[in-house]
Amino acid sequence: MNLISNDGIDYIYDVHGHRITQWNRDLLNPGALQRYAEAISGKGGPLNNCFGFVDGTVRPISRPNERQRIVYNCHKRVHALKFQSLSLPNGLIGNLFGPVEERKHDAGMLNDSGLLRDLQQYAYNPAAQAMCIYGDLAYPLRVHLQTPFRRVPLTPLMQDYNESMSASRISVEWLFGDVIDSFKFLDYKKNLKIGLSSVGKMYVVCALLRNAITCLYGNNTSDYFGIEPPSLEQYFQ
């Protein structure tokens, strides 16, 4: 049974994985970026050019052998793999990178993913204005990547900005939760064993399938921002 499921995961990843692991121009074209930014701004986001949110998630796995200590998190005392996700206001994961070892810092994962390079090349609205995504303080501040104000003490305006963007950025956590709620075996770490199953590839495929479910039924994120995901046919065209 495990061989059959692994073959199925390999097939979906090989045929459709590029829709989520690479810059998806159907989802991330200039017109779409502008619509996403307007939806986020419409919910009180102070940035008028922010089209999505980036964050990392840690997925616990079964304890590997002693030679694989690189996936051990001393702080959380868990063996885990890490993924980087770009969430969109239409409820889809627009881009997913990973897995990487749990010890990798979010800024390092961003550099390895090539997402910042893609943003610099493609993230512009129809008027050729630069569009950005928003991340937490773990990320560097760039034209295409905005973060909270770091200055201490914060002025009232800085505090309001941080709180407003944080309220919208919670959608990242909603999408992480959607993946696990739809595929609960991903939360059962004893069955996620490196060497016996494609643990990292499995999460990517489940995120892709969760996007498909969102295309059919929507989710909390698309409802919150009031922007519909594409149809299933459009997503897989």
Side-chain angles (χ1 to χ4, degrees):
M1 187 66 180
N2 199 45
L3 290 175
I4 295 175
S5 63
N6 283 345
D7 285 345
I9 289 169
D10 288 342
Y11 175 80
I12 295 173
Y13 185 90
D14 292 342
V15 176
H16 298 290
H18 65 280
R19 303 181 190 279
I20 200 170
T21 60
Q22 300 176 20
W23 187 267
N24 188 332
R25 298 193 184 189
D26 293 325
L27 286 179
L28 302 171
N29 57 74
L33 299 188
Q34 183 63 44
R35 291 193 297 275
Y36 302 153
E38 290 172 356
I40 293 172
S41 180
K43 293 299 293 185
L47 290 172
N48 61 10
N49 68 331
C50 175
F51 69 88
F53 305 93
V54 64
D55 201 5
T57 184
V58 174
R59 297 310 316 155
I61 61 173
S62 179
R63 179 178 177 177
N65 60 52
E66 292 300 318
R67 293 176 296 175
Q68 294 174 303
R69 295 176 182 173
I70 194 170
V71 298
Y72 183 68
N73 182 307
C74 297
H75 175 66
K76 297 182 179 180
R77 296 185 178 181
V78 65
H79 293 81
L81 298 175
K82 198 169 184 178
F83 296 84
Q84 172 187 278
S85 175
L86 168 61
S87 69
L88 302 174
N90 63 359
L92 297 185
I93 296 174
N95 185 267
L96 186 70
F97 175 74
V100 299
E101 63 273 16
E102 206 289 328
R103 296 181 183 183
K104 177 77 72 170
H105 189 270
D106 283 353
M109 187 162 53
L110 174 72
N111 182 66
D112 292 346
S113 71
L115 178 59
L116 195 56
R117 179 198 63 230
D118 288 339
L119 289 167
Q120 292 167 345
Q121 185 172 356
Y122 301 117
Y124 299 90
N125 69 6
Q129 296 172 326
M131 307 296 283
C132 71
I133 57 177
Y134 187 83
D136 60 24
L137 290 172
Y139 294 99
L141 182 63
R142 298 289 187 270
V143 171
H144 295 278
L145 175 57
Q146 296 296 300
T147 62
F149 281 105
R150 305 161 190 256
R151 173 181 168 183
V152 178
L154 296 176
T155 67
L157 285 177
M158 291 176 177
Q159 186 67 33
D160 288 345
Y161 171 90
N162 286 356
E163 290 177 358
S164 296
M165 292 306 298
S166 178
S168 295
R169 187 177 168 273
I170 192 65
S171 61
V172 179
E173 302 300 330
W174 292 347
L175 295 191
F176 288 148
D178 286 343
V179 175
I180 300 304
D181 286 344
S182 296
F183 303 97
K184 295 187 183 299
F185 63 87
L186 291 176
D187 212 25
Y188 187 63
K189 67 179 184 179
K190 290 185 178 181
N191 273 351
L192 303 179
K193 300 179 180 180
I194 294 177
L196 295 182
S197 58
S198 305
V199 179
K201 188 181 292 185
M202 187 184 301
Y203 185 85
V204 175
V205 168
C206 287
L208 177 69
L209 294 178
R210 176 59 236 192
N211 273 359
I213 295 172
T214 300
C215 289
L216 291 171
Y217 306 110
N219 59 14
N220 289 336
T221 302
S222 61
D223 291 343
Y224 176 78
F225 287 107
I227 182 168
E228 293 292 325
S231 68
L232 192 64
E233 293 77 10
Q234 290 171 328
Y235 186 65
F236 285 101
Q237 67 182 355

